[in-house]
């Protein structure tokens, strides 16, 4: 039987990706001894590789489908099918950004001030292209890591580095002078795999369930009992995703009400519901909302 070859990003996104797949219904068990974790789906085989390399392996057919950032797709100029954007990360569940940063006491205030200067980054192709499009001649060199420290140590004049919150940048005494690119995780597919009916259907299934799992992360279910004569009042309080489900309780003047709401609203909503007659309120987590 043909199997779909799935790539999971190894490194900072690994745990978040495995957790997301678990909510979507796929249990991935990584092993420290190899790069081929077990997955509870006989129609799939799983491989681990760095996000920086993922788009190359998908483009050349080593993998049928994988997850990596928009940044590395652009850096590698990979010819792949972008199935969808999946906004999740190891920290903030929002798009990360590549920024141009200089030392806090540096005289540089804008990209033009760096003309003729040295810039260290892991994202060399993108950085060269970006500065070329701005008409600014700079010397871009590849950084193997600890990029923030290179400005402090005087090894370069500026860096182009990825950040989610900016905390690490500031912790190194650096100052951001330009946001260069926003990036998020993308589900990408090999072009030939995308044209294969079996593989395309499987990729679309993965996409649907991963997006459903992400949608559910900010939502919870609420279930409660409400006196029948208070239902209209309670309904006015409910910011439901869809119309609430209402069921009459057997031999009772009460009804059962069930809704899906944003988790951020619950701490204020539950006391209001109690004040208006609701009782037996149950809050429960959701795995997927589709």
């Amino acid at each position: 039987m043909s199997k779909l070859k799935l790539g999971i990003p190894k490194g900072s996104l690994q745990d978040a990706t495995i957790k997301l797949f678990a909510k979507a219904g796929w249990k991935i068990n990584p092993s420290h001894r190899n790069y081929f974790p077990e997955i509870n789906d006989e129609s799939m085989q799983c491989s681990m590789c760095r996000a920086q390399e993922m788009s190359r392996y998908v483009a050349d057919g080593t993998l049928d489908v994988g997850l990596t950032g928009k940044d590395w797709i652009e850096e590698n100029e990979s010819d792949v099918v972008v199935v969808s954007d999946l906004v999740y990360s190891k920290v903030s569940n929002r798009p990360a950004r590549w920024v141009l940063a200089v030392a806090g006491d540096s005289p540089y205030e804008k990209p033009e001030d760096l003309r003729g200067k040295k810039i260290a980054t892991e994202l060399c192709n993108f950085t060269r292209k970006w500065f070329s499009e701005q008409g600014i001649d700079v010397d871009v060199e590849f950084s193997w890591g600890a990029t923030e420290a290179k400005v402090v140590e005087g090894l370069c004049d500026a860096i182009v580095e990825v950040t989610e919150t900016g905390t690490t940048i500031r912790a190194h005494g650096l100052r951001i002078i330009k946001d260069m690119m926003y990036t998020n995780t993308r589900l990408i597919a090999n072009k030939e795999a995308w044209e294969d009916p079996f593989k395309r259907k499987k990729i679309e299934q993965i996409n649907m369930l991963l997006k459903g799992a992400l949608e559910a992360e900010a939502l919870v279910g609420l279930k409660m009992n409400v006196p029948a004569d208070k239902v209209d009042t309670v309904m006015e309080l409910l910011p439901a995703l869809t119309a609430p489900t209402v069921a009459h309780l057997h031999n009772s003047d009460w009804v059962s009400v069930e809704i899906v709401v944003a988790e951020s609203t619950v701490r204020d909503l539950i006391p209001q519901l109690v004040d208006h007659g609701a009782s037996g309120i149950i809050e429960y987590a959701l795995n997927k909302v589709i």
Side-chain angles (χ1 to χ4, degrees):
M1 181 179 70
S2 177
K3 291 192 175 186
L4 184 77
K5 297 174 290 184
L6 168 68
I8 299 296
K10 185 174 179 62
S12 61
L13 270 180
Q14 177 178 322
D15 290 345
T17 301
I18 291 174
K19 179 181 177 182
L20 180 62
F21 267 86
K23 290 189 69 175
W26 286 278
K27 306 296 184 184
I28 297 171
N29 299 311
S31 169
H32 296 296
R33 294 188 294 273
N34 63 58
Y35 289 88
F36 305 99
E38 296 178 355
I39 185 169
N40 64 336
D41 188 330
E42 293 184 354
S43 67
M44 296 166 62
Q45 64 184 50
C46 200
S47 302
M48 308 285 293
C49 71
R50 289 173 59 82
Q52 293 91 327
E53 302 173 306
M54 184 74 72
S55 65
R56 295 205 308 265
Y57 290 134
V58 172
D60 69 16
T62 302
L63 296 169
D64 296 317
V65 62
L67 296 101
T68 189
K70 170 190 173 186
D71 43 5
W72 296 112
I73 299 170
E74 292 196 12
E75 176 71 4
N76 296 324
E77 299 180 339
S78 301
D79 188 18
V80 296
V81 177
V82 177
V83 180
S84 69
D85 291 352
L86 298 170
V87 183
Y88 73 98
S89 70
K90 63 176 181 176
V91 177
S92 59
N93 274 19
R94 64 187 181 197
R97 55 194 173 121
W98 284 86
V99 300
L100 179 63
V102 297
D105 58 357
S106 166
Y108 310 126
E109 298 291 340
K110 54 186 183 300
E112 291 81 359
D113 297 337
L114 292 165
R115 197 178 306 275
K117 303 300 180 181
K118 182 183 292 186
I119 299 174
T121 184
E122 194 177 358
L123 210 67
C124 290
N125 290 337
F126 168 80
T127 300
R128 291 191 184 101
K129 181 179 179 181
W130 190 91
F131 274 98
S132 176
E133 290 174 349
Q134 308 303 313
I136 304 169
D137 184 28
V138 294
D139 178 17
V140 178
E141 67 175 21
F142 180 75
S143 173
W144 288 97
T147 308
E148 295 93 345
K150 293 180 178 177
V151 175
V152 179
E153 295 169 357
L155 300 177
C156 62
D157 300 291
I159 64 168
V160 173
E161 182 63 304
V162 67
T163 182
E164 289 186 26
T165 64
T167 301
T168 303
I169 298 286
R170 293 190 295 271
H172 282 83
L174 306 184
R175 174 168 45 87
I176 296 171
I177 63 173
K178 184 69 176 179
D179 288 352
M180 298 178 67
M181 173 173 57
Y182 283 84
T183 182
N184 58 280
T185 307
R186 291 184 167 185
L187 182 67
I188 59 173
N190 172 268
K191 286 193 168 182
E192 290 186 12
W194 188 244
E195 295 303 319
D196 179 284
F198 162 74
K199 291 183 177 180
R200 181 164 183 161
K201 184 176 182 180
K202 196 69 180 179
I203 293 168
E204 289 175 338
Q205 177 193 10
I206 292 170
N207 181 49
M208 178 178 66
L209 295 179
L210 289 181
K211 291 179 78 171
L214 283 172
E215 181 73 16
E217 287 191 346
L219 302 170
V220 295
L222 284 182
K223 191 170 185 177
M224 71 202 76
N225 294 328
V226 181
D229 60 354
K230 299 288 184 66
V231 170
D232 290 341
T233 302
V234 167
M235 289 298 181
E236 294 178 0
L237 299 173
L238 301 180
L241 179 66
T242 57
T245 299
V246 179
H248 287 274
L249 300 180
H250 183 62
N251 291 332
S252 173
D253 292 330
W254 290 64
V255 298
S256 174
V257 177
E258 190 166 8
I259 59 169
V260 173
V261 298
E263 185 178 21
S264 60
T265 68
V266 170
R267 66 185 182 191
D268 296 322
L269 178 60
I270 287 180
Q272 295 178 50
L273 293 171
V274 171
D275 289 344
H276 287 78
S279 66
I281 300 173
I282 300 172
E283 177 185 345
Y284 53 91
L286 304 172
N287 277 335
K288 292 177 281 292
V289 174
I290 297 171

